Amino acid sequence: MPGLQDIKVAVDAVVFGYTSKEGLSVLLIKRNIEPFKDVWALPGGLVGNDEPLEDAVQRELKEETGVSINYLEQLYSFGNPNRDPRNRVISITYYGLVKPDAFELKADTDAGDARWFNIKNIGQLAFDHNDIISAAHNRLKSKILYEPLGFELLEGKFPFSELEKLYMAVLDRPIDRRNFKKKVTKFGFLEETNEKQSLDGAGRPGNLFKFNEEKYYQLKKDGISFEI
Amino acid sequence: MPGLQDIKVAVDAVVFGYTSKEGLSVLLIKRNIEPFKDVWALPGGLVGNDEPLEDAVQRELKEETGVSINYLEQLYSFGNPNRDPRNRVISITYYGLVKPDAFELKADTDAGDARWFNIKNIGQLAFDHNDIISAAHNRLKSKILYEPLGFELLEGKFPFSELEKLYMAVLDRPIDRRNFKKKVTKFGFLEETNEKQSLDGAGRPGNLFKFNEEKYYQLKKDGISFEI
DNA sequence: TCAAAAGTGTTCTTCGTACACCCATGA
DNA sequence: TCATGGGTGTACGAAGAACACTTTTGA
């Protein structure tokens, strides 16, 4: 039973980004203070005394990486007594999605560097941050099955194959192109434009699509059944 | 940005019980200290300095209600700066399932009383505990769709209709008996016994069923698709 | 004999899934 | 003309959803 309680409260953010070149990526910072100095870690930090948790994540994210994000969702709270070698710190974690190109990454005093890392290419991180990312990735994989996904991660107009590749990157498995298109089209949150993709290499240029934002958010609220 | 951080960390538990008479119920305690003295609230309290979060919930639950529970799952962390009128307290909440008859409720120094309340008959609780219960109930309703449920809530042998009623109580809507039975039977986590229900009133006595514990936990791990 | 609860099958529709060939473009 | 990626339809099987009458028992 506690005498005087001495536990610190932190927030950490798992921010996912996607580009067709890089695949599914996570935003990390390099710590420039001990413990774990010079080790990569999730952006995050202590919560202010009168600061709502969401504000704290946004603030830390902005300070440490320059990224703002309009949608963050609480993931899990990690409270193992030994997860921080100094004192007891529990971390309330959040995850979110962002277009990596939308921000110029910056570093500040707390963070020596900020970079995107492909989800498959993340080394040993500080604290229990590998576990946190793994939990976030699992959540994302299951979330994708009952909520539409993509609007937060793709540019305004994109060829259909981009969405396919995004889903394959998130789920980390192949998808049948025809069935995927049938299913997505039926939901009606995509609109076909008249424009065509400007190809970089060979291949038939695809039509460009865009999200119907209204339907997208409607379906996000209502929930979908998306078995790919 | 924080100066010296002064935030307390608590855990609270939403424990669901079920009986055919009472329906789906939640375990509450009556507070006998300020704030919210004499108001009903979730069992819970501050986390010890070196105490794992799960241990803290179990301990508080045991102390305040006498109930032990073998499965608790983290629900959400509530961190609104004003949720406690005294200081800032963030609460990491858990939920779990238990057979209400399995324990004799007791009260102790922190809790003046402990009782089961039908989920539909919960008044105004202390703090933001109504929100917490509502989040737990929603989680339970969606969880039931991809995990089997019932083993933790029903006695060893029970008529099939008990399981039906349990699902209806949790989902708070009617279910088609024939389709439900078809579906449940197909999963194979139920075994029919030769015994018959001993009726209290009129009506044809039903066969008694029991859970096949092994298959039940296997399906719990693997996940099911249970659209009722 | 009546009221209460249990037991039981069929049909229709929807959805998931497997699968292969032609088209447009740049090199 | 070839390599690359885009575009498209069908057929089968599984599962969900709607739906009503008979049986057993206690009162």
Side-chain angles (χ1 to χ4, degrees):
Chain A
M1 188 89 79
L4 254 188
Q5 199 190 49
D6 184 26
I7 306 181
K8 302 254 175 274
V9 178
V11 287
D12 288 298
V14 182
V15 177
F16 290 105
Y18 174 81
T19 59
S20 52
K21 289 181 276 305
E22 300 293 329
L24 189 67
S25 307
V26 176
L27 182 56
L28 297 178
I29 60 161
K30 189 188 250 179
R31 293 176 57 86
N32 59 7
I33 55 170
E34 292 291 350
F36 295 104
K37 185 164 173 1
D38 295 326
V39 177
W40 291 94
L42 292 171
L46 293 185
V47 175
N49 276 329
D50 295 309
E51 187 181 38
L53 301 175
E54 285 78 5
D55 293 5
V57 203
Q58 296 279 4
R59 175 181 52 74
E60 293 284 352
L61 197 53
K62 185 77 185 173
E63 284 174 11
E64 294 183 337
T65 69
V67 169
S68 298
I69 193 169
N70 49 16
Y71 183 70
L72 276 167
E73 186 173 310
Q74 199 187 100
L75 173 65
Y76 197 78
S77 295
F78 292 78
N80 186 307
N82 305 313
R83 56 183 297 284
D84 190 309
R86 295 164 295 184
N87 316 295
R88 181 146 191 210
V89 180
I90 66 142
S91 174
I92 301 171
T93 62
Y94 286 77
Y95 77 104
L97 307 171
V98 88
K99 308 189 225 305
D101 301 338
F103 297 93
E104 179 133 352
L105 297 187
K106 70 156 196 184
D108 88 327
T109 46
D110 280 2
D113 199 0
R115 271 187 48 205
W116 292 101
F117 283 77
N118 184 289
I119 184 95
K120 300 196 161 196
N121 194 21
I122 291 174
Q124 189 68 37
L125 303 182
F127 307 105
D128 51 1
H129 289 188
N130 290 90
D131 298 337
I132 298 176
I133 289 176
S134 150
H137 190 201
N138 285 336
R139 177 76 69 92
L140 185 62
K141 281 199 256 189
S142 69
K143 191 108 184 167
I144 209 177
L145 301 179
Y146 56 91
E147 268 190 18
L149 174 80
F151 184 71
E152 296 86 352
L153 288 171
L154 295 178
E155 300 299 327
K157 293 175 184 174
F158 49 88
F160 198 84
S161 57
E162 274 299 285
L163 191 62
E164 252 174 67
K165 286 183 211 149
L166 167 58
Y167 270 75
M168 289 192 277
V170 170
L171 292 173
D172 194 24
R173 60 180 168 87
I175 298 180
D176 182 276
R177 269 159 65 215
R178 285 171 287 189
N179 293 339
F180 181 73
K181 184 148 187 183
K182 231 182 301 177
K183 184 97 190 213
V184 170
T185 305
K186 186 138 53 79
F187 282 123
F189 60 75
L190 269 192
E191 284 172 10
E192 196 158 3
T193 69
N194 295 323
E195 301 168 59
K196 289 222 183 294
Q197 182 182 18
S198 56
L199 246 315
D200 29 340
R204 175 175 174 174
N207 285 338
L208 294 181
F209 288 76
K210 61 178 182 180
F211 285 102
N212 178 321
E213 208 169 332
E214 196 182 332
K215 286 193 189 158
Y216 183 85
Y217 283 110
Q218 188 59 44
L219 287 168
K220 195 142 198 150
K221 255 198 306 187
D222 297 350
I224 60 178
S225 168
F226 204 91
E227 316 234 339
I228 299 295
Chain B
M1 187 90 82
L4 253 188
Q5 198 189 49
D6 184 26
I7 306 181
K8 301 251 174 279
V9 178
V11 287
D12 289 298
V14 182
V15 178
F16 290 105
Y18 174 81
T19 59
S20 50
K21 289 181 277 303
E22 300 293 330
L24 188 66
S25 306
V26 176
L27 183 56
L28 298 178
I29 59 161
K30 190 188 250 179
R31 292 176 59 85
N32 60 7
I33 54 170
E34 293 291 351
F36 295 104
K37 184 162 171 5
D38 296 327
V39 177
W40 292 93
L42 292 172
L46 294 184
V47 175
N49 276 330
D50 295 309
E51 187 180 36
L53 301 175
E54 284 79 5
D55 292 5
V57 204
Q58 297 279 5
R59 176 181 52 75
E60 292 284 352
L61 196 54
K62 186 77 184 171
E63 284 174 11
E64 294 183 337
T65 69
V67 169
S68 297
I69 193 169
N70 49 17
Y71 183 69
L72 277 166
E73 186 173 310
Q74 197 185 102
L75 174 65
Y76 197 79
S77 295
F78 291 79
N80 186 306
N82 305 312
R83 56 182 296 284
D84 190 309
R86 297 163 294 184
N87 317 295
R88 179 140 191 215
V89 180
I90 67 142
S91 173
I92 301 171
T93 63
Y94 286 76
Y95 77 104
L97 306 170
V98 88
K99 309 190 224 304
D101 301 339
F103 297 94
E104 179 134 352
L105 297 187
K106 70 156 195 186
D108 89 326
T109 45
D110 281 359
D113 199 1
R115 270 187 49 204
W116 291 100
F117 284 76
N118 183 289
I119 184 97
K120 301 196 159 195
N121 195 20
I122 292 174
Q124 190 67 38
L125 303 182
F127 308 105
D128 51 1
H129 289 188
N130 290 91
D131 298 338
I132 298 175
I133 290 176
S134 150
H137 190 200
N138 285 336
R139 177 76 69 91
L140 185 62
K141 280 199 256 190
S142 68
K143 189 108 185 166
I144 210 177
L145 301 178
Y146 56 91
E147 268 192 18
L149 174 81
F151 185 70
E152 296 85 352
L153 288 170
L154 295 178
E155 299 300 326
K157 293 176 184 174
F158 49 89
F160 197 84
S161 56
E162 275 298 286
L163 192 62
E164 252 173 67
K165 286 182 211 150
L166 167 58
Y167 270 76
M168 288 192 276
V170 170
L171 293 173
D172 194 25
R173 60 178 166 87
I175 297 179
D176 182 277
R177 269 162 62 218
R178 285 171 288 188
N179 292 339
F180 181 75
K181 185 149 187 182
K182 233 182 298 177
K183 183 98 190 212
V184 170
T185 304
K186 188 138 51 81
F187 283 122
F189 59 76
L190 269 193
E191 284 174 8
E192 196 158 2
T193 70
N194 296 322
E195 300 168 59
K196 288 221 182 296
Q197 182 182 17
S198 56
L199 247 315
D200 30 340
R204 173 176 176 173
N207 285 337
L208 293 181
F209 288 77
K210 61 178 182 180
F211 285 101
N212 179 320
E213 208 169 333
E214 195 182 334
K215 286 193 188 157
Y216 183 85
Y217 283 110
Q218 188 59 44
L219 287 169
K220 195 141 198 150
K221 255 199 306 186
D222 297 348
I224 59 178
S225 167
F226 204 90
E227 316 233 339
I228 300 295

